[in-house]
Amino acid sequence: MADPEIKSYALHHESQSAAVTESRPAKAVLMIVTFAFLGIFLLLPLIVVFNEAFAKGLSAYTEALTNPDTRSAIHLTLLVAAISVPLNIVFGVSAAWAIAKFEFKGKAFLTTLIDLPFSVSPVISGLVYVLLFGAQGLLGAWLKAHGIVILFAVPGIVLATIFVTFPFVARELIPLMQEQGNGDEEAALSLGANGWQAFWYVTLPNVKWGLLYGVLLCNARAMGEFGAVSVVSGHIRGLTNTMPLHVEILYNEYNAAAAFAVASLLAGLALVTLVLKTLLEMRYGAEIAATRGH
Amino acid sequence: MTTAPAKAGWRFRQPSVIPGFGLTLGFSLAYLTLIILIPLSGLIWRSAALGWADFWAIATDRRTINALEISFGTAFIAAAVNVVFGTIVAWVLVRYSFPGRRIVDAMVDLPFALPTAVAGIALTTLYAPNGWLGSLLAPLGIKVAYTPLGIVIALIFIGLPFVVRTVQPIMEEIDKEVEEVAATLGANRFQTIARVLLPGLAPAIVTGFALAFARGVGEYGSVIFIAGNLPYKSEIAPLLIVIRLEEYNYAAATAIAAIMLALSFVMLLVINLVQTWSRKRYG
């Protein structure tokens, strides 16, 4: 997206001449607009979450979080992330290796297909599995005959989560590995390393921060996914309720304090993700690909 | 696992000393096919099996049309709002230095990281008639929660980082010489921004709009709490899909999903064309 030709780092020091900055009042207006907009749209919702979570006191908060249904929702969310994130890491690394290290026909098309889940509504991401595995689904009768339960159970939730988090690792690694080229690996191979050693001792150390960055975003989405999981989960309390779904149930039961207590855990996860992400960008910016937009 | 389509000799790929092509491409394709392609083609297959008459009846149902209008309309407005404010936010973050700039910059990604259901209940509480902002707006006669305006608010929240993160890197690369030249040639600051800088940013702004719009059309979690979900009035298309599924009306759910996918695809195609055009014109 960026035009590589317009880069002149020499000019990046701040030149404060009036000709290339706004007047003081204009500057002030733009800053106020920015702070007001971000304050209202980003900061206030975040404050509301914690404010409502503790609205009925600390004991109500801890009680909401130690409730057995809440605990089973936390367990399920961790379980789903623990399965889907590693699978997407394996896929992301493998796809990045094939796409970044080789030139082959249809590469651009394959890259587009990997990004596909980002342009599909989460509800549709869930729906496709209902159409496949549901009672009226294409495989529904066969699954029932063999006693395999996918929908309204953990496997369905895992599948829907994998679907929506599918591109995160791959799209972080592909541009990064393309940028780094094949030189290091070729050197390792010519010095007698086998392919696996070249990957483990050369490629992986080169991309580890970019990989971590992708995993971070992938994990945040996996634990927070709502729409896709909602469609395939069946909302069975204590069994197929993930944390976001549990938030919905509690909220719809007018148990706002408990809903926000669980929500505060998810908001905490989001904040931790943001802090780690920012630290990665600050310390290893150059080693994370130039792609920031998701 | 190795479905190696390429051994030595065939020109499907250019020769390379690096090993593992068959393994990694084979695994990636298998995984992609199982997780994404087969389920998605199931959707297309199911809606094709509906037959034209049934499909048309569902597509022209008032409730379906209204839901699609609400989804696409609110997403469009929200993306337009985000284009204006997102560009200002990006400008302030790139050009001005102030204490805490790093933190403000990191905050912009909050909507990416915060689960949508959490955003949904937080915004609803904030804009409900007795909420912090809702109680301020109520005397002015503005109702946000449980109206289409609430949907727009939720989609502004969801879409903001898409615009900022697309425009920001391009702004960082603007060569200040260009602005100096414009100023030397007699342009005032406003002219420089409107006629020199903005055209260069246009492709990025259009991309940001498209991403925010596409995300907004499909958004579910953050919207359903604040929307009120009245059929014909504040019911979004993804919710209608869920409702039809809960009624075991797979046909209707499938048809609405297929229409949404097709419309999004057409929109993205149009936006792509606009982008190519603006890049050619101003690139």
Side-chain angles (χ1 to χ4, degrees):
Chain A
M1 223 177 290
D3 190 344
E5 275 144 73
I6 30 172
K7 261 187 194 168
S8 67
Y9 291 105
L11 277 164
H12 261 269
H13 64 85
E14 294 297 306
S15 62
Q16 289 294 349
S17 82
V20 287
T21 47
E22 290 75 50
S23 62
R24 267 177 181 279
K27 231 176 177 173
V29 168
L30 289 179
M31 299 262 285
I32 289 168
V33 167
T34 296
F35 286 128
F37 188 78
L38 295 182
I40 289 173
F41 279 94
L42 300 184
L43 196 56
L44 270 184
L46 197 60
I47 295 173
V48 162
V49 171
F50 291 100
N51 186 58
E52 293 287 321
F54 292 104
K56 291 200 175 149
L58 196 64
S59 62
Y61 181 79
T62 48
E63 205 183 295
L65 293 187
T66 48
N67 175 292
D69 285 343
T70 306
R71 288 174 58 173
S72 89
I74 296 173
H75 282 153
L76 181 58
T77 292
L78 293 176
L79 174 70
V80 168
I83 301 171
S84 53
V85 175
L87 280 173
N88 278 340
I89 293 176
V90 173
F91 164 74
V93 170
S94 151
W97 183 271
I99 289 174
K101 299 287 172 200
F102 301 94
E103 290 301 325
F104 58 93
K105 300 232 158 60
K107 196 160 108 165
F109 183 60
L110 179 59
T111 315
T112 312
L113 281 183
I114 291 175
D115 270 348
L116 201 59
F118 276 159
S119 42
V120 174
S121 169
V123 167
I124 297 179
S125 313
L127 170 73
V128 293
Y129 290 111
V130 176
L131 294 180
L132 213 53
F133 301 124
Q136 304 175 37
L138 296 174
L139 300 175
W142 186 86
L143 288 176
K144 200 168 179 201
H146 290 76
I148 304 170
V149 183
I150 292 182
L151 212 58
F152 310 130
V154 178
I157 298 174
V158 170
L159 278 172
T161 306
I162 292 177
F163 188 108
V164 291
T165 57
F166 187 82
F168 280 102
V169 178
R171 81 184 326 229
E172 204 57 53
L173 284 184
I174 291 168
L176 179 61
M177 281 166 68
Q178 269 171 339
E179 211 175 82
Q180 288 177 342
N182 292 355
D184 289 359
E185 285 79 7
E186 279 162 5
L189 291 167
S190 75
L191 291 173
N194 63 33
W196 180 248
Q197 288 169 323
F199 169 73
W200 194 254
Y201 294 111
V202 177
T203 312
L204 205 56
N206 275 347
V207 300
K208 60 176 184 285
W209 299 118
L211 179 63
L212 187 60
Y213 191 85
V215 169
L216 209 59
L217 299 178
C218 183
N219 180 65
R221 182 72 194 264
M223 290 189 172
E225 178 52 28
F226 178 76
V229 168
S230 161
V231 171
V232 296
S233 122
H235 303 275
I236 307 162
R237 249 179 197 235
L239 278 180
T240 65
N241 247 355
T242 61
M243 283 167 78
L245 297 179
H246 197 53
V247 168
E248 183 200 19
I249 287 191
L250 292 170
Y251 187 81
N252 286 343
E253 286 171 347
Y254 300 102
N255 192 350
F260 277 103
V262 180
S264 74
L265 291 183
L266 290 168
L269 168 77
L271 288 177
V272 169
T273 303
L274 283 186
V275 168
L276 291 177
K277 179 174 171 297
T278 309
L279 287 179
L280 276 179
E281 283 167 6
M282 278 165 73
R283 291 206 52 184
Y284 304 104
E287 291 158 66
I288 302 169
T291 49
R292 282 294 130 72
H294 289 274
Chain B
M1 224 185 285
T2 346
T3 52
K7 285 280 173 241
W10 192 33
R11 297 304 286 185
F12 164 64
R13 68 161 169 123
Q14 287 171 19
S16 161
V17 294
I18 296 191
F21 179 71
L23 175 71
T24 54
L25 185 72
F27 173 74
S28 303
L29 284 179
Y31 191 76
L32 177 78
T33 309
L34 281 176
I35 300 286
I36 310 287
L37 298 182
I38 290 179
L40 266 185
S41 37
L43 174 75
I44 295 163
W45 188 81
R46 280 293 280 248
S47 52
L50 263 181
W52 185 243
D54 288 345
F55 185 85
W56 190 247
I58 297 163
T60 53
D61 177 49
R62 228 355 10 194
R63 196 164 164 189
T64 310
I65 291 176
N66 281 7
L68 288 168
E69 276 174 2
I70 291 163
S71 274
F72 281 82
T74 52
F76 188 90
I77 297 169
V81 171
N82 273 329
V83 159
V84 176
F85 288 98
T87 308
I88 295 177
V89 169
W91 184 260
V92 168
L93 288 176
V94 170
R95 285 302 176 96
Y96 303 162
S97 55
F98 50 90
R101 196 189 61 87
R102 200 62 247 190
I103 295 169
V104 177
D105 192 37
M107 274 272 300
V108 170
D109 279 334
L110 181 70
F112 284 150
L114 193 69
T116 52
V118 177
I121 62 169
L123 289 169
T124 311
T125 307
L126 204 51
Y127 288 95
N130 57 356
W132 290 347
L133 292 175
S135 59
L136 292 179
L137 295 169
L140 307 171
I142 304 171
K143 268 198 75 185
V144 178
Y146 320 120
T147 69
L149 189 56
I151 305 177
V152 173
I153 296 284
L155 296 183
I156 292 175
F157 173 85
I158 289 298
L160 176 71
F162 289 93
V163 176
V164 178
R165 292 300 182 232
T166 323
V167 176
Q168 202 177 10
I170 310 297
M171 270 182 187
E172 272 163 5
E173 299 210 335
I174 292 177
D175 195 335
K176 279 206 170 165
E177 258 178 0
V178 179
E179 293 163 67
E180 280 160 9
V181 169
T184 330
L185 291 174
N188 63 32
R189 187 64 189 154
F190 178 76
Q191 286 170 321
T192 309
I193 290 175
R195 302 177 66 170
V196 178
L197 296 183
L198 275 184
L201 293 173
I205 292 176
V206 174
T207 307
F209 175 89
L211 293 173
F213 178 71
R215 176 69 202 267
V217 166
E219 181 54 25
Y220 176 72
S222 61
V223 172
I224 52 162
F225 296 98
I226 201 171
N229 306 328
L230 286 174
Y232 308 101
K233 288 207 174 71
S234 57
E235 183 178 69
I236 54 167
L239 177 65
L240 189 56
I241 294 178
V242 172
I243 290 173
R244 294 300 186 223
L245 264 183
E246 279 167 1
E247 297 165 353
Y248 297 104
N249 190 347
Y250 281 28
T254 311
I256 301 166
I259 297 168
M260 275 188 73
L261 282 180
L263 282 176
S264 307
F265 182 73
V266 171
M267 291 278 189
L268 286 181
L269 204 67
V270 170
I271 285 165
N272 249 326
L273 290 176
V274 173
Q275 224 181 331
T276 323
W277 172 81
S278 70
R279 205 170 272 151
K280 245 183 223 151
R281 173 126 198 248
Y282 301 111

